[in-house]
Amino acid sequence: CVHCGFCTATCPTYVTLGNELDSPRGRIYLIKDMLEGGRAADKEIVTHIDRCLSCLACMTTCPSGVHYMHLVDHARAHIEKTYKRPLPDRLIRAVLAFVLPYPARFRTALKLAKLGRPFAGLFEKVAALKPLTAMLKLAPATVPAQSATAKPGTHSAKGAAQRGRVAILTGCAQPVLDPGINEATISLLNRLGVEVVVPQGEGCCGALVHHMGREVEALDFARRNVDVWTREIEAGGLDAILITASGCGTTIKDYGYMLRLDPAYAQKAARVSALAKDVTEYLDTLDLPEPKQKPGTVVAYHSACSMQHGQKIIRQPKALLAKAGFVVKEPREGHLCCGSAGTYNIMQPEISARLRDRKVKNIKATGAAVVATGNIGCITQIASAAELPVVHTVKLLDWAYGGPKPAGRSQ
């Protein structure tokens, strides 16, 4: 870091709050002072690190190539080890870590949320309980039925000769909130001649607990998935490991770094990270046929931070949508986060809401009929305030190439 300050122009929290310590440059100063001094985290450091979305816009902007993601991840792990948070904060974080990475628990929690909704206004009056209000507001009114595609199995290519074999991440939150995303992905790939495997034993990628500083749990999730995918690679070979939630993709592509010091997993994790691809990244490598229909719908494409900054996937989703017959519009300030950021919209609801409203305003100005994005967190966040339907990019592509017309989520 050469303290040039370029990152302040693209940092959502600095743009929103105007505090130097809520910019990447300011946080690097705090992290450096804490770690080089070998001291425990204090309230000031925790406040400003907690406000970071890990959107990684600063990494796109930085002329020096500072790997801010690894710096802030290290700081969060240090905070978790050395700082005792207030009891309500500890309890809420423990609940999130216990529930969100596990689909069955998450499904049950969403069904129980309707019992807590009448108390949302009461929770909002108590600062320490505002995250509970945020959870209740984000919880959908109904929970979709579990999809067969979430169960282990092989989905064979249809029609023409098989042209590829891939594994797909089922994940944790996405199959509960919108199982149709992986259904559309598998259906589209099968029609294109690609065999899709849902491996036995894979689960949460670890991103949710990783960004909470719970490093032991995050690495356990990573090792489990590495074992599952390594078994699949050695059994039948894989052309790619596909991820349909870009937040998960950024973490899985970092498994090689996360497990670099583990001699039993370093090599296997690096191989898994090399095979990991976003679904649009993989589709872009295929020689796609002409679409069955060209809808001509005007689509506002929201590039998730984990997509554009974390994975540097910018061109492919827009090119695929355009080839499929959609008219693609890009909202202003596309580099700024929508405020979802994993559990951020729960733990930092005020800042998150300001970023969401700013994003929705820019999306509305495009005049689009639908919003497309590649991350379930963004879909949930934007749909909580948008009047337009919000859908995953792959659902629109599936529609253009012969699948059903998707139903989007909206306010």
Side-chain angles (χ1 to χ4, degrees):
C1 177
V2 295
H3 311 294
C4 67
F6 282 12
C7 58
T8 61
T10 58
C11 173
T13 49
Y14 181 78
V15 169
T16 303
L17 302 175
N19 186 336
E20 173 69 20
L21 294 178
D22 287 316
S23 73
R25 180 172 63 180
R27 291 187 182 106
I28 287 173
Y29 171 83
L30 292 172
I31 293 168
K32 186 173 186 290
D33 182 61
M34 174 178 67
L35 297 179
E36 289 186 354
R39 60 187 181 84
D42 57 33
K43 185 178 179 181
E44 181 188 37
I45 290 171
V46 172
T47 296
H48 297 294
I49 297 300
D50 281 355
R51 286 179 185 165
C52 174
L53 296 119
S54 282
C55 71
L56 309 181
C58 54
M59 288 180 58
T60 298
T61 310
C62 180
S64 301
V66 173
H67 207 302
Y68 177 83
M69 180 175 79
H70 291 157
L71 288 175
V72 79
D73 286 346
H74 188 58
R76 285 184 169 129
H78 185 76
I79 288 169
E80 186 68 12
K81 291 174 185 174
T82 65
Y83 181 74
K84 188 172 183 179
R85 296 177 180 274
L87 181 60
D89 195 13
R90 295 203 308 274
L91 290 174
I92 289 168
R93 287 171 176 270
V95 168
L96 291 174
F98 180 77
V99 172
L100 290 181
Y102 305 94
R105 297 176 193 175
F106 185 40
R107 183 181 299 278
T108 301
L110 290 180
K111 289 178 179 177
L112 292 173
K114 64 179 67 175
L115 300 177
R117 259 190 211 104
F119 303 100
L122 181 63
F123 294 149
E124 196 158 20
K125 294 176 182 177
V126 182
L129 299 180
K130 283 187 177 181
L132 293 178
T133 302
M135 284 189 228
L136 294 171
K137 286 181 177 178
L138 287 167
T142 57
V143 182
Q146 186 175 2
S147 171
T149 59
K151 298 175 182 177
T154 299
H155 301 266
S156 303
K158 296 177 182 176
Q162 183 174 314
R163 61 198 293 197
R165 184 176 188 267
V166 300
I168 190 168
L169 172 73
T170 300
C172 50
Q174 181 174 283
V176 177
L177 292 170
D178 193 347
I181 293 171
N182 274 13
E183 289 174 351
T185 301
I186 292 170
S187 178
L188 173 60
L189 288 170
N190 286 168
R191 294 198 306 274
L192 293 173
V194 179
E195 181 178 271
V196 182
V197 181
V198 181
Q200 176 78 43
E202 61 92 38
C204 175
C205 68
L208 289 167
V209 288
H210 181 53
H211 296 312
M212 294 168 71
R214 302 169 80 104
E215 206 59 14
V216 172
E217 294 168 57
L219 294 181
D220 283 345
F221 280 126
R223 289 187 186 97
R224 182 179 70 178
N225 285 335
V226 166
D227 283 338
V228 167
W229 289 323
T230 298
R231 185 177 68 239
E232 206 60 54
I233 292 166
E234 293 173 349
L238 291 175
D239 298 313
I241 298 165
L242 298 190
I243 301 105
T244 53
S246 60
C248 303
T250 300
T251 296
I252 293 169
K253 288 182 177 182
D254 204 44
Y255 276 1
Y257 180 85
M258 290 167 64
L259 292 168
R260 71 197 183 283
L261 302 179
D262 186 334
Y265 280 87
Q267 189 173 352
K268 292 190 293 184
R271 178 164 58 167
V272 163
S273 289
L275 281 173
K277 291 185 184 297
D278 182 77
V279 62
T280 57
E281 195 178 9
Y282 179 72
L283 286 170
D284 189 62
T285 67
L286 302 179
D287 183 17
L288 297 180
E290 281 296 305
K292 298 285 186 183
Q293 57 179 328
K294 293 196 172 185
T297 308
V298 179
V299 176
Y301 175 68
H302 163 71
S303 185
C305 296
S306 45
M307 188 83 82
Q308 61 173 315
H309 304 308
Q311 300 183 58
K312 300 294 187 281
I313 299 171
I314 298 169
R315 175 192 60 82
Q316 296 93 321
K318 294 180 288 187
L320 288 166
L321 287 169
K323 184 176 180 180
F326 296 96
V327 178
V328 182
K329 296 289 186 74
E330 295 183 67
R332 288 182 63 252
E333 299 183 322
H335 62 281
L336 285 181
C337 184
C338 68
S340 172
T343 59
Y344 192 91
N345 53 3
I346 294 171
M347 301 308 300
Q348 301 284 338
E350 292 93 347
I351 301 172
S352 173
R354 289 171 68 178
L355 290 169
R356 178 202 63 198
D357 293 346
R358 185 170 183 157
K359 178 65 66 177
V360 168
K361 181 181 177 182
N362 285 329
I363 287 171
K364 186 177 180 180
T366 65
V370 63
V371 184
T373 188
N375 190 50
I376 186 62
C378 301
I379 292 171
T380 304
Q381 174 80 346
I382 295 170
S384 69
E387 297 172 359
L388 302 176
V390 187
V391 300
H392 195 287
T393 305
V394 80
K395 284 188 172 184
L396 293 177
L397 296 174
D398 180 50
W399 175 32
Y401 287 97
K405 185 176 180 179
R409 299 182 68 181
S410 60
Q411 186 181 13

